[in-house]
Amino acid sequence: MTIAQWQLRAAFAARLSRMYGREVPAYTTLLDVSHEVNEDVLRSRGADAERLGSIRRVTAERHGAIRVGTPGELRQVARVFGALGMRPVGFYDLRDTAVGALPVVSTAFRPVAEEELARNPFRVFTSMLTVADRRFFDADLRARLTAFLARRELFAPELLALADRAEAERELPEADAELFLDLAVRSFELSAEPIDRDWYATLERVSAVAADIGGVRATHLNHLTPRVLDIDELYRRMAERGVEMIDTIQGPPRWEGPDVLLRQTSFRAIAEPRALRAADGTVTHGALRVRFGEVEARGIALTREGRALYDRMLALVDERAAHLPPADRGDVARAVWAEHLPVTEEGLAERGLGFFTYHVAQGRIRDGRPPSKLGALLRDGWVRAEPIVYEDFLPRSAAGIFQSNLDDTGARDSAQEADAYDAGRLSAAMDREVLDPFALYERQRRLSLTRVARELGLAAAPDVLRPGSP
Ligand code: OOG
Ligand code: NI
């Protein structure tokens, strides 16, 4: 018996979920409430509830978040996720967002092919400490941090060897698969090893995130996030159960039009018992608040134009809400959205703001030859459009999720020059290309148009809709 790559990915996600449920019991509550909400939505909205993914996919869907210290560690993580058919997609710089400065840059590992996403869309938001950024770390701290990180080993050599094999062969024999999964899941458990209290505190003065990454000798899952079909309802029910949630739902507001991109919220980081070692060697039992539970609702992927509009709308909301109480922000956002964004999927497609795939409509009687233009094909019922779900993340929401769980914003010396971290630098560190999410959605759209042309016998694949095109 061999275990295929996608089965390894599904099994890894399921085991990680069981592990996190044991470590963070409130996560189990979050899962229970997510399931309840999803069932209720399915009952009340019927087939429409599955427009952005089958209930089977949505129920199993999770994203995790992990944090590593160095390019070398990132490269190893990429091998572990490579074994699971997950590739780095997107570059997120969290060092300068509107909601604060964090000493990390990130990418997300996920499957990219449509059929792989349908089998299991597990993804992991992965952040790397920007040790070389002088605004956060002065020369002395940088040297100590570099030495500390160089001495630790996050992944067993045996795990990495199995990972390379699984990636090359896209499967593993059952016994090897079992060993791989066991070692992989264990690499992300919270370590019981005592933490050097002074060293942790030194890094905490720069940023709690720096301490969480560089203050300990292992890595751990930071959170695991289920997907829910009604995040406002979930937020209400979690609060009802007495779980302390962060103040807001990040991302787009709730509004009357189609869901786009990603909405996320979380419960506050819980105090977890951790062993701390003092300078004199005595070990005491303290607690650290770093890990939490998050939940998300996914919407339609936006094109570059759509995304630019989203960013402009956010800036507009900031501007208009600046002098209002925080509770009014939602209403301001709804008003801005109503002014700028079409309220229907057709509107998003026609204005070139959202990504869709196109499919020959079945079972309708049509006369004559199909028109060549996409607008006419849709209007005359030859073709129907299906939204592409957003599979990625949002830098500002990510920073907001990080930030909302920190008590302290940390310290940064803005007089220093920022170090240039970009997608190319991450690609080089991993020796794997960080893929452009827009290009992936574009490819999916183009493939569907090529298929439509073939099935309808058109001379060429129709062009995508542009504002004002027939
Ligand atoms: C990652 C925070 C970002 C998301 O969903 O946007 C994130 C972290 O806290 O390590 O997971
Ligand atoms: Ni997350």
Side-chain angles (χ1 to χ4, degrees):
M1 260 278 282
T2 59
I3 311 293
Q5 198 165 51
W6 78 266
Q7 293 172 308
L8 287 176
R9 179 167 71 252
F12 178 70
R15 289 186 193 204
L16 214 54
S17 186
R18 281 199 293 278
M19 182 264 273
Y20 205 56
R22 278 194 304 274
E23 292 188 335
V24 179
Y27 165 75
T28 306
T29 309
L30 188 65
L31 282 189
D32 291 343
V33 178
S34 301
H35 286 155
E36 283 171 27
V37 168
N38 288 348
E39 274 172 25
D40 290 350
V41 172
L42 200 59
R43 217 170 298 126
S44 64
R45 285 196 224 145
D48 195 40
E50 296 188 275
R51 187 138 179 82
L52 289 164
S54 69
I55 192 68
R56 201 186 56 79
R57 170 184 156 161
V58 170
T59 305
E61 188 158 347
R62 301 278 185 283
H63 88 247
I66 59 160
R67 306 159 173 185
V68 297
T70 63
E73 290 177 356
L74 184 66
R75 189 187 176 98
Q76 295 187 337
V77 164
R79 289 162 67 190
V80 174
F81 293 143
L84 303 172
M86 296 156 68
R87 305 180 49 195
V89 181
F91 173 75
Y92 305 88
D93 193 340
L94 303 186
R95 295 174 301 158
D96 288 294
T97 70
V99 292
L102 297 159
V104 291
V105 292
S106 316
T107 185
F109 290 89
R110 67 167 176 88
V112 297
E114 227 170 313
E115 59 281 8
E116 288 297 320
L117 286 161
R119 283 168 158 167
N120 185 292
F122 185 57
R123 44 176 97 72
V124 180
F125 192 89
T126 304
S127 302
M128 181 184 82
L129 196 62
T130 52
V131 179
D133 194 319
R134 289 152 205 268
R135 293 172 306 169
F136 298 99
F137 305 103
D138 65 26
D140 174 55
L141 191 53
R142 198 159 60 244
R144 289 170 64 197
L145 190 51
T146 303
F148 181 90
L149 292 170
R151 280 195 307 270
R152 72 180 188 181
E153 180 185 275
L154 301 185
F155 303 102
E158 192 181 14
L159 169 64
L160 294 171
L162 284 167
D164 293 345
R165 228 176 100 200
E167 182 166 18
E169 293 167 16
R170 301 182 57 117
E171 61 180 25
L172 279 180
E174 205 172 353
D176 293 322
E178 183 54 40
L179 182 58
F180 169 79
L181 289 168
D182 184 51
L183 291 172
V185 169
R186 269 200 269 155
S187 320
F188 297 108
E189 276 176 0
L190 196 64
S191 161
E193 191 185 305
I195 296 167
D196 179 334
R197 204 176 62 191
D198 293 343
W199 174 233
Y200 198 91
T202 301
L203 290 172
E204 246 180 342
R205 282 194 284 279
V206 171
S207 154
V209 174
D212 180 46
I213 302 173
V216 294
R217 292 182 30 82
T219 187
H220 42 252
L221 191 64
N222 174 268
H223 61 263
L224 200 58
T225 303
R227 181 169 161 195
V228 74
L229 297 171
D230 184 343
I231 197 168
D232 302 275
E233 183 57 27
L234 177 124
Y235 189 95
R236 258 191 304 279
R237 291 193 197 178
M238 286 297 283
E240 252 169 44
R241 290 204 187 195
V243 178
E244 195 193 346
M245 303 296 283
I246 63 170
D247 299 337
T248 52
I249 296 175
Q250 317 262 349
R254 180 186 193 87
W255 82 306
E256 51 166 340
D259 291 332
V260 300
L261 299 174
L262 176 65
R263 302 181 68 209
Q264 301 175 307
T265 190
S266 63
F267 62 74
R268 283 206 185 283
I270 48 161
E272 292 181 287
R274 305 276 284 269
L276 305 174
R277 185 186 293 108
D280 65 6
T282 54
V283 173
T284 55
H285 292 279
L288 293 176
R289 278 180 188 274
V290 283
R291 309 204 305 159
F292 51 89
E294 182 196 35
V295 62
E296 66 190 13
R298 291 191 169 262
I300 302 173
L302 296 185
T303 59
R304 277 183 208 284
E305 294 74 24
R307 177 52 189 275
L309 175 60
Y310 173 74
D311 290 337
R312 282 201 303 280
M313 289 195 299
L314 269 190
L316 212 55
V317 174
D318 285 346
E319 209 177 289
R320 290 194 197 167
H323 305 292
L324 299 172
D328 291 354
R329 193 179 158 94
D331 290 332
V332 172
R334 265 182 289 284
V336 168
W337 282 59
E339 276 167 44
H340 291 87
L341 208 62
V343 291
T344 60
E345 284 186 12
E346 294 73 25
L348 281 179
E350 277 160 21
R351 284 185 43 199
L353 298 173
F355 277 115
F356 294 83
T357 53
Y358 298 91
H359 309 266
V360 173
Q362 299 297 331
R364 295 195 47 176
I365 301 166
R366 291 159 306 226
D367 292 326
R369 284 167 53 79
S372 59
K373 294 270 198 275
L374 185 55
L377 285 166
L378 287 164
R379 225 171 13 250
D380 298 348
W382 292 87
V383 163
R384 63 187 163 76
E386 298 283 351
I388 299 182
V389 65
Y390 188 58
E391 305 285 358
D392 295 287
F393 293 86
L394 296 169
R396 173 158 158 167
S397 300
I401 292 283
F402 263 105
Q403 208 66 263
S404 61
N405 276 291
L406 305 179
D407 297 329
D408 198 344
T409 48
R412 193 176 77 153
D413 178 359
S414 305
Q416 297 289 330
E417 183 99 26
D419 213 55
Y421 283 93
D422 58 16
R425 185 160 168 186
L426 284 196
S427 301
M430 292 184 283
D431 200 14
R432 293 167 196 254
E433 187 186 352
V434 173
L435 303 169
D436 172 5
F438 292 107
L440 295 175
Y441 299 122
E442 181 57 54
R443 182 183 141 82
Q444 217 175 316
R445 169 163 79 174
R446 220 183 33 246
L447 285 174
S448 77
L449 287 167
T450 307
R451 205 162 45 225
V452 161
R454 196 176 56 236
E455 290 174 16
L456 291 179
L458 304 175
D463 279 337
V464 295
L465 301 174
R466 306 235 176 269
S469 68

